[in-house]
Amino acid sequence: MIKQIQGNYSAPKVEKEVQEEWASEHAYEKTKQLRENGPRFYFLDGPPYTTGSIHLGTAMNKTVKDILIRYWRMNGYNVRDQPGFDMHGLPIEVQVEKKIGVHSKKQIEEEIGIDNFVKTCQDFAKGLHASMTDAFKQLGVWMDWDHPYQTLKLDYMESAWWTAKRAYERGLLKDSSRVVTWCPRCETALAEAEIDYWDETDPSVMVRFPLKDEKDVSLLIWTTTPWTLPSNMAVAVHPDETYAKVRMSGEKGSEDVIVMKSQAEFVMQKGGYDSFEILEEKVGKDLVGTAYIPPFEIGDGLKRTEYTYKVVDAAYVEKDNTGLVHTAPGFGPDDFETGKRYGLVPFCPVDESGRFTGDFPMMAGKKVKTINEDIIKHLEENGLLYNTSKVKHRYGHCWRCKTPIIYRNTRQWFIDVPKVKDTMLKEVDRVKWTPDWAGAAREKNWVDGARDWCVSRQRYWGIPLPVWECECGEKKVVGQYSELEEGEGYTKGMDTHRPWIDKVTFKCPKCGKDMHRIPDVMDVWFDSGVAAWADLGYPAKKDEFEKWWPPKFIVEAQDQTRGWFYTQLASGVVSFDRAPYDEVMMHGWMLDSKGRKMSKSLGNVVTPEEVIAEYGADALRYYMIMVNAPWEDTAFQKTGPKDAWKVLNTLWNVVNFAAMYMSLDKYEPSEHTLESVKADMRDEDLWMLSRTEKMKKAVTDGIESRELQKVARALTDYIMEDLSRWYLHLIRDRSWDEESTADKTASYYMLHRAIMSTAVALAPICPHISEKVYRAMDGEKLSVHMEDWQKADMSLVNEDLEHSMHLIQNIIEIVATERGKMGSKLRWPLKAIYIRGKDAKVNAAVKVFDEVLAQQGNIKSVDYLPEGGEVIGKDDVEPVPFDEGEIFIDFEITPEIEAEGYARELIRRIQQMRKDMKLNVDEYINVDVKAEPHLVDLFKTWQDHISAEVRAKQIEYTDEPAGDSVKDWDITGKNITIGVTSSKI
């Protein structure tokens, strides 16, 4: 049975009601159960960090996922839709440190205790997991919220250990001392994907390194990190470039320096000299081995070898600044590799917190980034500073605490990604990417430049690296918990986080001493990188893996090409020699209205909660996919959700109209089929039928191609234009007919079909309003989300009818424009228009809907002229072009047109008063009207029509109108008073 809906579309109220109904009826569970025998579809959710409230980007991400999951389920798939949460790592630790007022690892270990800190991190992550789940539910996302995968769960961690052991067994997991990116605040190594870059201003210095055997000649080096100069061990030159000994001269005197020849003039200017002279030239490789005096005296902490404090060569040296590069193997990846070639032992007098150690007594205990000016002062005082200035350049920062990173030589554990890079590249080619360039360009380029993946972190809250080591050098990697039973200190089911796992030891098979776990935890990106099998409990549990593997689809934001897409790819190839996904979709970011990243510091954050509170979750979801292609960034406009709400409100009003009249007429949708009503359908019904099938196809095509903006735009055009602006207006008079005729039934059938088709097509995008509409329109199933996806029946598409209606719409639009130019009121009928198509076919096409043209254009007469024909007796009527010809408009106002025009104006005011009085649509009224005699005479000629339109039992013309509501109106400059009284039957 058709049910009436509330008059106004209050989205928050509607959505609350729908969510309560879903919960009480177990709609999600029953919908999943309905598809449990369908083809299996393993969707893998990329896990967000449980660090706070969801933001618009998270809302966008989950909306896209929910749209696709609902769509696949409506297509009969048994979709695995387990949500995930990333609950380890620095993102959590930094938040907890702020909460408890901790500023260093020393405080954690000595004051708080690792066990208490880890427990606090765990509680914090679990608490935010609950609040984030509620936020996703408010957004209308249907996932298996009762059974999420969480990276902190012990069975999940065991799968990560298995992957680490798999890498070790394949010779891909190894330890090494090398220079890595380091956060001095978090006191841990970072991967490239954990670094955010923005512009910083740093000192830029040119420094003299006097030659050991020719002290009045200096190598002139350049650096933007003066604090690394105490660790200088060599100077790098390009082997094939020409270098010169140059005499710089000016008012302040002269000096001899060695620079790249092409840079001599630049260096002269920087030194404040007026001229330079080339004294000697050498190719870079001929300078190799040249000894110099370093800028600082360093003690035994720096181990000397053959090339310490000498010139070395490196192909990465550019034609920039002086062309000689200060080389500190303890603080730069390139420097480290160059030093390795020349047997230099890296010197790194900086501890985990970024402070100098006793190996550089002058600055011991000071933070490296704070001593640049002290270093520059020392260089100046010792005559070594050639030039100093400021330079603005891109610099890396810790992704979580925003501290500037440093490079530091430490012992870490790495996965040898370059060894499996070829397989990874082949997998990138195999996988389907949307958009295509996300894989073919962005992901492929990132993989092509892949380096060893540093998977160790010097922190506490994470999956412990499952490596035990003996002082003799013997190592043991544990892949499953059952292997721990061989050790001491293990209890089955114990928490395998730090510090409890650190108490487990093994006897060394080589020397018999105790093997201890190295204290590192794993990179949090490793946690999520193994999600495709860890969420299935593999390999401890093989049944689920064999049932679902591999995942078919993943979707995340564009930054995940170097994040989750990449770490999954690497982990999958290491573990299974394949990518753990078959299709990847990339979406853009949600930015502020000016295209900037939203942040609290900029005060430009818009939260999903505030948008939902005002316009509802459906409007937010609709807007987020409507404005751009999913992979493009969106500059969030606050008017956007309002515009989306207007579309949904229009649909609501259409349904309100349909439900009102269908329920009054006791229309039963189940009693009618297309076959039973088709013979009674007018051309406008068949046109709507054609438009509906095309809408279905456009929506399906858009989802299949992942071009969700096309889905939203197709629905918007259909709801706003085809359904509301045109079809509803075309059938209003049929709906108001007191009799239940076959013609009226045909219009009801088509309107119901259009609304239900819209509800099903809209269901994945706007799940709440589509549910409410579906139920009001007597949907057969418990939920619209249980419906099978509708396939377009292209045999019902009628291009000729659509062409005819397009011409009608075009002509009506032009007539309205011309009316505006002439000051002709829309409610006053036009005397006539004449259609002169470019050929007879055009006239015939328009004639199909000339009654529609007359009705919708408010035109008394529609006539046709042959090609070249003229309007007889109307010399003042000029032709106006339309798409396929010309029209002539007769604006003459006859007494009959004046009477009809005023009658329409009166009807409009009475209808408005009915609405304001909140009268039922079938309620009768009595009307009193006060107007000048001429208007009264005009109204009387249309009395029967006016009475029928407003459901008036009687209309009285009086000087003192009375009624339940009395109101004065100005109609085209004439004062009219109307009184309306309810006259219930």
Side-chain angles (χ1 to χ4, degrees):
M1 185 176 70
I2 302 289
K3 306 176 196 68
Q4 292 195 36
I5 57 175
Q6 63 191 50
N8 296 321
Y9 175 49
S10 172
K13 182 174 182 288
V14 166
E15 291 168 6
K16 185 173 183 291
E17 291 171 355
V18 168
Q19 290 185 12
E20 288 173 351
E21 289 167 359
W22 284 344
S24 65
E25 297 166 354
H26 303 287
Y28 164 74
E29 292 81 3
K30 290 176 181 177
T31 302
K32 282 194 73 172
Q33 187 177 11
L34 179 69
R35 307 299 186 184
E36 64 184 2
N37 294 320
R40 296 189 186 101
F41 193 106
Y42 181 4
F43 164 79
L44 180 61
D45 183 34
Y49 292 109
T50 50
T51 54
S53 302
I54 70 169
H55 51 77
L56 283 173
T58 326
M60 166 71 171
N61 176 269
K62 277 294 192 287
T63 294
V64 171
K65 292 173 179 177
D66 191 51
I67 289 170
L68 294 171
I69 289 171
R70 289 178 186 273
Y71 171 73
W72 291 322
R73 196 163 274 141
M74 292 174 81
N75 275 279
Y77 286 99
N78 177 13
V79 184
R80 190 177 195 278
D81 60 354
Q82 183 183 31
F85 291 91
D86 220 337
M87 304 177 76
H88 279 143
L90 273 178
I92 308 296
E93 289 198 49
V94 170
Q95 294 291 331
V96 170
E97 287 175 1
K98 289 178 182 176
K99 182 180 177 183
I100 64 178
V102 168
H103 305 290
S104 69
K105 289 169 70 174
K106 184 177 180 181
Q107 281 182 284
I108 292 172
E109 294 181 5
E110 296 180 4
E111 298 175 19
I112 306 296
I114 296 176
D115 54 348
N116 290 326
F117 182 72
V118 166
K119 286 177 182 176
T120 304
C121 288
Q122 190 173 54
D123 292 343
F124 180 84
K126 287 181 176 179
L128 286 175
H129 158 256
S131 63
M132 289 176 73
T133 298
D134 289 341
F136 289 137
K137 287 181 178 179
Q138 185 188 26
L139 193 61
V141 178
W142 269 13
M143 283 185 166
D144 193 357
W145 299 115
D146 292 336
H147 306 97
Y149 76 82
Q150 300 168 300
T151 57
L152 55 70
K153 291 287 185 69
L154 300 186
D155 56 350
Y156 190 99
M157 292 165 57
E158 184 178 22
S159 296
W161 277 17
W162 173 83
T163 305
K165 184 171 184 178
R166 177 89 169 127
Y168 186 73
E169 290 171 342
R170 301 184 70 179
L172 299 172
L173 180 66
K174 57 191 178 182
D175 64 313
S176 174
S177 289
R178 63 178 76 175
V179 171
V180 296
T181 45
W182 187 273
C183 176
R185 183 253 173 240
C186 299
E187 302 181 43
T188 185
L190 298 175
E192 182 62 32
E194 297 172 306
I195 300 171
D196 290 333
Y197 289 88
W198 62 79
D199 287 343
E200 288 273 1
T201 299
D202 281 317
S204 170
V205 296
M206 292 180 179
V207 183
R208 302 178 182 97
F209 285 9
L211 297 184
K212 188 174 183 181
D213 299 329
E214 199 175 352
K215 294 184 175 59
D216 58 347
V217 179
S218 298
L219 299 169
L220 196 61
I221 67 93
W222 166 81
T223 183
T224 57
T225 54
W227 64 267
T228 63
L229 286 170
S231 300
N232 173 267
M233 298 185 72
V235 171
V237 297
H238 194 288
D240 302 322
E241 293 294 335
T242 300
Y243 288 80
K245 182 195 294 184
V246 183
R247 179 160 294 158
M248 302 294 179
S249 302
E251 291 182 8
K252 63 181 181 180
S254 64
E255 65 175 301
D256 297 344
V257 295
I258 296 175
V259 297
M260 190 179 283
K261 182 182 176 183
S262 62
Q263 299 303 106
E265 184 173 357
F266 172 78
V267 172
M268 176 197 75
Q269 294 170 353
K270 284 291 185 181
Y273 290 107
D274 302 323
S275 63
F276 68 89
E277 179 186 357
I278 304 294
L279 303 177
E280 184 182 346
E281 296 183 16
K282 281 188 179 181
V283 178
K285 61 187 176 185
D286 294 335
L287 287 173
V288 173
T290 302
Y292 63 87
I293 300 170
F296 293 91
E297 288 291 334
I298 303 297
D300 294 339
L302 189 152
K303 295 180 182 178
R304 274 72 171 175
T305 58
E306 181 183 355
Y307 279 90
T308 302
Y309 300 141
K310 291 182 180 178
V311 175
V312 296
D313 73 322
Y316 55 75
V317 176
E318 298 177 348
K319 292 181 181 180
D320 190 25
N321 289 284
T322 68
L324 287 92
V325 177
H326 147 60
T327 301
F331 289 110
D334 290 334
D335 302 33
F336 179 86
E337 294 301 324
T338 299
K340 195 174 178 181
R341 284 194 293 117
Y342 282 93
L344 299 174
V345 180
F347 176 56
C348 183
V350 174
D351 67 13
E352 289 187 341
S353 66
R355 298 176 186 271
F356 280 102
T357 67
D359 284 336
F360 184 44
M362 182 188 299
M363 300 294 173
K366 292 186 177 181
K367 289 188 175 181
V368 296
K369 293 286 281 186
T370 66
I371 58 96
N372 279 328
E373 294 306 318
D374 294 331
I375 294 291
I376 291 171
K377 183 180 178 182
H378 171 85
L379 295 172
E380 190 169 21
E381 290 174 349
N382 287 272
L384 299 176
L385 185 66
Y386 181 86
N387 169 267
T388 181
S389 59
K390 296 290 184 181
V391 62
K392 193 174 185 180
H393 61 154
R394 283 177 63 76
Y395 197 87
H397 300 75
C398 174
W399 67 320
R400 280 295 144 189
C401 70
K402 310 307 178 187
T403 301
I405 63 163
I406 62 174
Y407 285 91
R408 183 170 174 269
N409 184 56
T410 63
R411 184 194 181 210
Q412 301 292 338
W413 285 79
F414 299 86
I415 289 180
D416 190 348
V417 175
K419 274 191 178 178
V420 294
K421 185 174 77 172
D422 288 346
T423 303
M424 290 172 68
L425 289 170
K426 288 177 183 175
E427 285 297 287
V428 172
D429 289 337
R430 178 188 65 81
V431 170
K432 178 184 177 183
W433 296 83
T434 304
D436 179 70
W437 52 262
R442 187 172 290 188
E443 189 68 32
K444 201 160 190 177
N445 290 344
W446 186 257
V447 173
D448 203 37
R451 298 181 178 182
D452 286 354
W453 177 10
C454 179
V455 294
S456 51
R457 296 291 181 272
Q458 291 65 54
R459 295 298 303 186
Y460 312 102
W461 178 235
I463 298 177
L465 192 62
V467 179
W468 276 255
E469 190 172 39
C470 179
E471 61 184 46
C472 73
E474 186 71 8
K475 298 178 180 65
K476 176 182 179 66
V477 179
V478 172
Q480 292 187 261
Y481 293 154
S482 58
E483 298 171 42
L484 294 174
E485 296 172 5
E486 303 169 14
E488 296 291 328
Y490 173 71
T491 304
K492 192 170 183 179
M494 68 177 280
D495 192 337
T496 49
H497 284 100
R498 294 193 69 190
W500 304 282
I501 192 62
D502 298 338
K503 298 172 184 175
V504 176
T505 61
F506 293 93
K507 287 297 179 185
C508 176
K510 189 174 180 181
C511 70
K513 294 182 180 179
D514 284 345
M515 302 178 78
H516 296 272
R517 197 191 72 81
I518 63 170
D520 296 344
V521 295
M522 301 189 77
D523 176 11
V524 70
W525 287 99
F526 193 89
D527 290 27
S528 57
V530 302
W533 52 97
D535 68 339
L536 299 170
Y538 184 84
K541 303 170 186 174
K542 292 187 171 61
D543 290 350
E544 285 295 290
F545 182 85
E546 290 169 359
K547 179 179 178 181
W548 292 102
W549 177 267
K552 286 186 169 55
F553 182 90
I554 61 172
V555 53
E556 298 298 330
Q558 58 181 288
D559 54 331
Q560 298 308 316
T561 50
R562 64 173 189 157
W564 195 52
F565 299 161
Y566 175 76
T567 57
Q568 277 198 100
L569 176 61
S571 301
V573 169
V574 165
S575 302
F576 304 102
D577 292 314
R578 62 155 289 159
Y581 42 70
D582 292 333
E583 181 182 349
V584 179
M585 179 179 173
M586 183 188 80
H587 68 76
W589 289 328
M590 296 298 293
L591 306 173
D592 78 355
S593 59
K594 297 178 181 177
R596 301 172 301 174
K597 188 175 180 180
M598 292 188 187
S599 70
K600 290 179 181 177
S601 62
L602 291 174
N604 61 350
V605 174
V606 179
T607 66
E609 290 84 358
E610 61 188 275
V611 178
I612 291 171
E614 188 167 4
Y615 299 112
D618 283 349
L620 175 59
R621 291 167 62 117
Y622 199 67
Y623 167 68
M624 289 190 296
I625 69 157
M626 175 174 66
V627 66
N628 281 330
W631 46 88
E632 294 176 0
D633 293 341
T634 296
F636 184 89
Q637 307 296 326
K638 290 188 177 180
T639 57
K642 183 178 181 180
D643 292 339
W645 177 89
K646 287 178 181 177
V647 177
L648 303 181
N649 183 58
T650 298
L651 173 63
W652 189 265
N653 290 337
V654 170
V655 176
N656 205 352
F657 174 91
M660 182 187 306
Y661 285 98
M662 290 179 185
S663 59
L664 281 173
D665 288 330
K666 297 182 173 53
Y667 175 75
E668 291 292 341
S670 60
E671 295 177 1
H672 307 281
T673 65
L674 179 59
E675 289 70 26
S676 69
V677 302
K678 198 166 187 180
D680 300 310
M681 293 177 87
R682 298 187 188 180
D683 282 341
E684 50 262 45
D685 301 323
L686 296 173
W687 167 80
M688 191 61 189
L689 183 63
S690 179
R691 295 299 298 156
T692 301
E693 296 310 306
K694 275 195 174 178
M695 177 274 289
K696 293 178 186 177
K697 184 176 188 305
V699 169
T700 302
D701 290 349
I703 297 179
E704 285 293 332
S705 67
R706 314 300 183 232
E707 296 172 289
L708 301 183
Q709 81 284 6
K710 292 184 177 179
V711 175
R713 291 168 190 175
L715 282 165
T716 298
D717 289 344
Y718 181 79
I719 293 168
M720 300 298 285
E721 295 296 321
D722 298 337
L723 182 55
S724 175
R725 184 181 175 190
W726 286 100
Y727 190 64
L728 197 66
H729 284 269
L730 291 174
I731 65 167
R732 277 186 188 274
D733 289 347
R734 294 157 78 185
S735 302
W736 293 336
D737 192 333
E738 296 285 349
E739 301 299 322
S740 293
T741 63
D743 178 56
K744 184 177 185 179
T745 299
S747 71
Y748 277 173
Y749 171 83
M750 190 58 242
L751 180 58
H752 182 270
R753 182 183 177 114
I755 290 171
M756 291 299 267
S757 296
T758 305
V760 172
L762 190 63
I765 303 163
C766 301
H768 304 94
I769 189 173
S770 58
E771 187 75 276
K772 205 73 172 177
V773 167
Y774 178 81
R775 294 184 178 197
M777 289 287 103
D778 200 27
E780 294 179 355
K781 300 183 185 299
L782 173 68
S783 168
V784 68
H785 306 288
M786 289 180 166
E787 282 286 346
D788 290 338
W789 188 253
Q790 51 197 5
K791 304 296 189 291
D793 184 348
M794 299 309 287
S795 69
L796 300 177
V797 171
N798 189 320
E799 296 291 358
D800 289 338
L801 279 180
E802 291 200 30
H803 175 240
S804 292
M805 187 63 82
H806 167 76
L807 292 176
I808 297 298
Q809 293 166 340
N810 177 228
I811 292 168
I812 288 175
E813 185 178 334
I814 290 168
V815 168
T817 301
E818 294 302 310
R819 274 179 176 271
K821 293 177 183 178
M822 296 293 293
S824 171
K825 299 172 185 63
L826 291 176
R827 285 183 180 79
W828 290 46
L830 291 173
K831 183 179 180 183
I833 70 166
Y834 302 85
I835 310 296
R836 187 169 68 189
K838 65 182 181 181
D839 55 37
K841 288 183 179 179
V842 174
N843 282 3
V846 174
K847 199 163 189 175
V848 170
F849 285 120
D850 60 2
E851 288 186 12
V852 170
L853 177 56
Q855 176 194 14
Q856 298 302 306
N858 196 8
I859 302 162
K860 299 302 289 181
S861 172
V862 178
D863 292 309
Y864 297 87
L865 301 173
E867 187 176 353
E870 298 291 339
V871 180
I872 300 172
K874 295 286 181 179
D875 297 336
D876 58 335
V877 177
E878 296 293 329
V880 180
F882 73 101
D883 282 356
E884 297 184 33
E886 294 175 316
I887 57 176
F888 299 80
I889 306 173
D890 187 349
F891 285 103
E892 181 185 356
I893 298 176
T894 63
E896 292 79 14
I897 286 176
E898 182 187 23
E900 185 174 348
Y902 275 114
R904 288 173 181 267
E905 298 284 3
L906 181 63
I907 289 167
R908 180 201 166 200
R909 271 62 175 192
I910 297 172
Q911 296 287 38
Q912 183 61 50
M913 291 177 71
R914 286 184 63 105
K915 183 177 180 181
D916 294 342
M917 293 168 70
K918 296 182 170 55
L919 300 181
N920 292 331
V921 67
D922 58 343
E923 198 166 333
Y924 282 95
I925 59 175
N926 292 320
V927 179
D928 287 356
V929 177
K930 176 185 176 183
E932 63 182 62
H934 175 63
L935 292 184
V936 170
D937 290 341
L938 295 179
F939 292 150
K940 286 181 177 179
T941 64
W942 283 82
Q943 180 100 338
D944 292 343
H945 178 75
I946 296 170
S947 298
E949 288 292 306
V950 302
R951 294 184 75 82
K953 281 190 170 183
Q954 63 180 28
I955 299 177
E956 294 287 340
Y957 301 97
T958 174
D959 291 336
E960 296 182 2
D964 299 334
S965 175
V966 179
K967 193 168 183 179
D968 294 326
W969 297 92
D970 181 332
I971 299 179
T972 68
K974 298 181 184 297
N975 295 321
I976 297 177
T977 303
I978 304 172
V980 175
T981 303
S982 172
S983 177
K984 293 185 179 180
I985 298 173

